[in-house]
Short mmCIF file of all heavy atoms in Angstrom, two decimals:
data_model
loop_
_atom_site.label_atom_id
_atom_site.label_comp_id
_atom_site.label_asym_id
_atom_site.label_seq_id
_atom_site.Cartn_x
_atom_site.Cartn_y
_atom_site.Cartn_z
N THR A 1 47.37 -1.21 -72.63
CA THR A 1 48.65 -1.92 -72.62
C THR A 1 48.63 -3.19 -73.47
O THR A 1 49.59 -3.97 -73.45
CB THR A 1 49.03 -2.29 -71.18
OG1 THR A 1 47.96 -3.01 -70.57
CG2 THR A 1 49.34 -1.03 -70.37
N SER A 2 47.54 -3.40 -74.21
CA SER A 2 47.40 -4.55 -75.12
C SER A 2 47.53 -5.88 -74.39
O SER A 2 48.07 -6.86 -74.92
CB SER A 2 48.43 -4.47 -76.25
OG SER A 2 48.27 -3.29 -77.00
N LEU A 3 47.00 -5.95 -73.17
CA LEU A 3 47.06 -7.17 -72.38
C LEU A 3 45.73 -7.93 -72.36
O LEU A 3 45.68 -9.03 -71.79
CB LEU A 3 47.48 -6.86 -70.94
CG LEU A 3 48.93 -6.39 -70.76
CD1 LEU A 3 49.18 -6.04 -69.30
CD2 LEU A 3 49.91 -7.46 -71.24
N LEU A 4 44.69 -7.36 -72.95
CA LEU A 4 43.43 -8.09 -73.02
C LEU A 4 43.60 -9.37 -73.83
O LEU A 4 44.38 -9.42 -74.78
CB LEU A 4 42.34 -7.21 -73.64
CG LEU A 4 41.82 -6.05 -72.79
CD1 LEU A 4 40.81 -5.22 -73.59
CD2 LEU A 4 41.17 -6.56 -71.50
N ASN A 5 42.85 -10.39 -73.43
CA ASN A 5 42.93 -11.69 -74.10
C ASN A 5 44.33 -12.31 -74.03
O ASN A 5 44.79 -12.98 -74.97
CB ASN A 5 42.49 -11.59 -75.57
CG ASN A 5 40.98 -11.54 -75.69
OD1 ASN A 5 40.26 -12.23 -74.98
ND2 ASN A 5 40.50 -10.71 -76.60
N THR A 6 45.00 -12.05 -72.92
CA THR A 6 46.27 -12.71 -72.61
C THR A 6 46.19 -13.24 -71.18
O THR A 6 45.38 -12.75 -70.38
CB THR A 6 47.46 -11.75 -72.74
OG1 THR A 6 47.38 -10.77 -71.70
CG2 THR A 6 47.48 -11.08 -74.10
N PRO A 7 47.01 -14.21 -70.82
CA PRO A 7 46.99 -14.69 -69.43
C PRO A 7 47.24 -13.60 -68.40
O PRO A 7 46.70 -13.65 -67.29
CB PRO A 7 48.11 -15.74 -69.43
CG PRO A 7 48.17 -16.24 -70.84
CD PRO A 7 47.88 -15.03 -71.69
N TRP A 8 48.04 -12.59 -68.77
CA TRP A 8 48.35 -11.52 -67.82
C TRP A 8 47.14 -10.65 -67.52
O TRP A 8 47.12 -9.94 -66.51
CB TRP A 8 49.49 -10.65 -68.35
CG TRP A 8 50.77 -11.40 -68.43
CD1 TRP A 8 51.40 -11.85 -69.56
CD2 TRP A 8 51.59 -11.82 -67.33
NE1 TRP A 8 52.55 -12.52 -69.25
CE2 TRP A 8 52.70 -12.52 -67.88
CE3 TRP A 8 51.49 -11.68 -65.95
CZ2 TRP A 8 53.69 -13.07 -67.08
CZ3 TRP A 8 52.49 -12.23 -65.16
CH2 TRP A 8 53.57 -12.91 -65.71
N ALA A 9 46.12 -10.71 -68.37
CA ALA A 9 44.90 -9.94 -68.11
C ALA A 9 44.20 -10.42 -66.86
O ALA A 9 43.39 -9.68 -66.26
CB ALA A 9 43.96 -10.04 -69.32
N LEU A 10 44.46 -11.65 -66.44
CA LEU A 10 43.89 -12.17 -65.20
C LEU A 10 44.93 -12.27 -64.09
O LEU A 10 44.63 -12.00 -62.93
CB LEU A 10 43.27 -13.55 -65.44
CG LEU A 10 42.05 -13.59 -66.38
CD1 LEU A 10 41.54 -15.01 -66.50
CD2 LEU A 10 40.95 -12.67 -65.88
N ILE A 11 46.14 -12.63 -64.44
CA ILE A 11 47.17 -12.83 -63.42
C ILE A 11 47.45 -11.51 -62.68
O ILE A 11 47.55 -11.49 -61.45
CB ILE A 11 48.45 -13.39 -64.05
CG1 ILE A 11 48.21 -14.81 -64.57
CG2 ILE A 11 49.60 -13.38 -63.04
CD1 ILE A 11 49.38 -15.38 -65.35
N ILE A 12 47.58 -10.42 -63.42
CA ILE A 12 47.90 -9.13 -62.78
C ILE A 12 46.77 -8.67 -61.87
O ILE A 12 47.02 -8.34 -60.69
CB ILE A 12 48.24 -8.08 -63.86
CG1 ILE A 12 49.54 -8.46 -64.57
CG2 ILE A 12 48.37 -6.69 -63.22
CD1 ILE A 12 49.90 -7.54 -65.72
N PRO A 13 45.50 -8.59 -62.33
CA PRO A 13 44.43 -8.18 -61.40
C PRO A 13 44.27 -9.12 -60.21
O PRO A 13 44.01 -8.65 -59.09
CB PRO A 13 43.18 -8.19 -62.29
CG PRO A 13 43.70 -8.03 -63.68
CD PRO A 13 44.99 -8.75 -63.70
N TYR A 14 44.38 -10.41 -60.42
CA TYR A 14 44.27 -11.35 -59.31
C TYR A 14 45.36 -11.11 -58.27
O TYR A 14 45.12 -11.14 -57.06
CB TYR A 14 44.37 -12.80 -59.82
CG TYR A 14 43.17 -13.28 -60.59
CD1 TYR A 14 43.20 -14.50 -61.28
CD2 TYR A 14 41.99 -12.54 -60.65
CE1 TYR A 14 42.10 -14.97 -61.99
CE2 TYR A 14 40.89 -13.00 -61.37
CZ TYR A 14 40.96 -14.21 -62.03
OH TYR A 14 39.87 -14.66 -62.73
N THR A 15 46.59 -10.89 -58.75
CA THR A 15 47.70 -10.66 -57.83
C THR A 15 47.52 -9.37 -57.05
O THR A 15 47.70 -9.34 -55.82
CB THR A 15 49.02 -10.60 -58.62
OG1 THR A 15 49.21 -11.83 -59.33
CG2 THR A 15 50.19 -10.37 -57.69
N VAL A 16 47.15 -8.32 -57.74
CA VAL A 16 46.97 -7.02 -57.08
C VAL A 16 45.84 -7.08 -56.05
O VAL A 16 45.96 -6.54 -54.94
CB VAL A 16 46.69 -5.92 -58.13
CG1 VAL A 16 46.31 -4.60 -57.45
CG2 VAL A 16 47.91 -5.72 -59.02
N SER A 17 44.74 -7.73 -56.38
CA SER A 17 43.62 -7.82 -55.45
C SER A 17 43.95 -8.67 -54.23
O SER A 17 43.33 -8.51 -53.17
CB SER A 17 42.39 -8.39 -56.16
OG SER A 17 42.64 -9.71 -56.62
N ALA A 18 44.92 -9.57 -54.35
CA ALA A 18 45.30 -10.43 -53.23
C ALA A 18 46.28 -9.75 -52.28
O ALA A 18 46.39 -10.16 -51.11
CB ALA A 18 45.91 -11.73 -53.75
N LEU A 19 47.00 -8.75 -52.73
CA LEU A 19 48.07 -8.15 -51.93
C LEU A 19 47.60 -7.55 -50.60
O LEU A 19 48.23 -7.80 -49.56
CB LEU A 19 48.81 -7.09 -52.75
CG LEU A 19 49.70 -7.62 -53.87
CD1 LEU A 19 50.36 -6.47 -54.62
CD2 LEU A 19 50.77 -8.55 -53.32
N PRO A 20 46.53 -6.73 -50.55
CA PRO A 20 46.16 -6.12 -49.27
C PRO A 20 45.90 -7.13 -48.15
O PRO A 20 46.41 -6.97 -47.04
CB PRO A 20 44.89 -5.33 -49.62
CG PRO A 20 45.00 -5.04 -51.07
CD PRO A 20 45.67 -6.24 -51.65
N THR A 21 45.14 -8.17 -48.45
CA THR A 21 44.82 -9.15 -47.42
C THR A 21 46.04 -9.94 -46.99
O THR A 21 46.27 -10.16 -45.79
CB THR A 21 43.73 -10.12 -47.93
OG1 THR A 21 42.58 -9.38 -48.33
CG2 THR A 21 43.34 -11.10 -46.84
N THR A 22 46.85 -10.37 -47.95
CA THR A 22 48.03 -11.16 -47.61
C THR A 22 49.05 -10.33 -46.83
O THR A 22 49.67 -10.83 -45.88
CB THR A 22 48.68 -11.73 -48.88
OG1 THR A 22 48.90 -10.67 -49.83
CG2 THR A 22 47.79 -12.76 -49.52
N ILE A 23 49.21 -9.08 -47.20
CA ILE A 23 50.13 -8.20 -46.46
C ILE A 23 49.62 -7.98 -45.04
O ILE A 23 50.39 -8.01 -44.07
CB ILE A 23 50.29 -6.86 -47.19
CG1 ILE A 23 51.08 -7.07 -48.49
CG2 ILE A 23 50.99 -5.82 -46.31
CD1 ILE A 23 51.15 -5.84 -49.37
N PHE A 24 48.32 -7.77 -44.90
CA PHE A 24 47.72 -7.56 -43.58
C PHE A 24 48.00 -8.75 -42.65
O PHE A 24 48.31 -8.58 -41.47
CB PHE A 24 46.22 -7.34 -43.74
CG PHE A 24 45.50 -7.13 -42.45
CD1 PHE A 24 45.56 -5.92 -41.78
CD2 PHE A 24 44.74 -8.16 -41.89
CE1 PHE A 24 44.89 -5.73 -40.58
CE2 PHE A 24 44.08 -7.99 -40.69
CZ PHE A 24 44.15 -6.76 -40.04
N ILE A 25 47.91 -9.96 -43.18
CA ILE A 25 48.15 -11.16 -42.36
C ILE A 25 49.64 -11.34 -42.07
O ILE A 25 50.04 -11.62 -40.94
CB ILE A 25 47.58 -12.40 -43.07
CG1 ILE A 25 46.05 -12.29 -43.17
CG2 ILE A 25 47.97 -13.68 -42.33
CD1 ILE A 25 45.40 -13.40 -43.98
N MET A 26 50.47 -11.16 -43.10
CA MET A 26 51.90 -11.43 -42.92
C MET A 26 52.59 -10.43 -42.01
O MET A 26 53.56 -10.78 -41.31
CB MET A 26 52.59 -11.44 -44.29
CG MET A 26 52.31 -12.68 -45.11
SD MET A 26 53.35 -12.74 -46.58
CE MET A 26 52.71 -14.22 -47.37
N ILE A 27 52.13 -9.20 -41.99
CA ILE A 27 52.77 -8.20 -41.14
C ILE A 27 52.73 -8.62 -39.68
O ILE A 27 53.70 -8.45 -38.93
CB ILE A 27 52.10 -6.82 -41.34
CG1 ILE A 27 52.61 -6.19 -42.63
CG2 ILE A 27 52.37 -5.90 -40.17
CD1 ILE A 27 52.00 -4.85 -42.94
N GLY A 28 51.61 -9.19 -39.26
CA GLY A 28 51.50 -9.64 -37.88
C GLY A 28 52.51 -10.72 -37.54
O GLY A 28 53.09 -10.73 -36.44
N PHE A 29 52.78 -11.62 -38.48
CA PHE A 29 53.77 -12.68 -38.24
C PHE A 29 55.19 -12.11 -38.22
O PHE A 29 56.00 -12.51 -37.38
CB PHE A 29 53.65 -13.74 -39.33
CG PHE A 29 52.54 -14.73 -39.09
CD1 PHE A 29 51.22 -14.42 -39.38
CD2 PHE A 29 52.82 -15.97 -38.55
CE1 PHE A 29 50.21 -15.33 -39.16
CE2 PHE A 29 51.82 -16.90 -38.32
CZ PHE A 29 50.50 -16.57 -38.61
#
């Protein structure tokens, strides 16, 4: 997708990796 060496190359993986844990916590609330 030609995203290497762009800020999105880190923002997207970081966001995706954070979703399972944050969803797990928020569902209880």
Side-chain angles (χ1 to χ4, degrees):
T1 54
S2 301
L3 291 177
L4 289 176
N5 282 321
T6 68
W8 295 106
L10 295 181
I11 293 173
I12 294 175
Y14 288 170
T15 301
V16 172
S17 63
L19 289 179
T21 303
T22 52
I23 290 173
F24 179 77
I25 295 174
M26 286 189 184
I27 281 179
F29 279 80

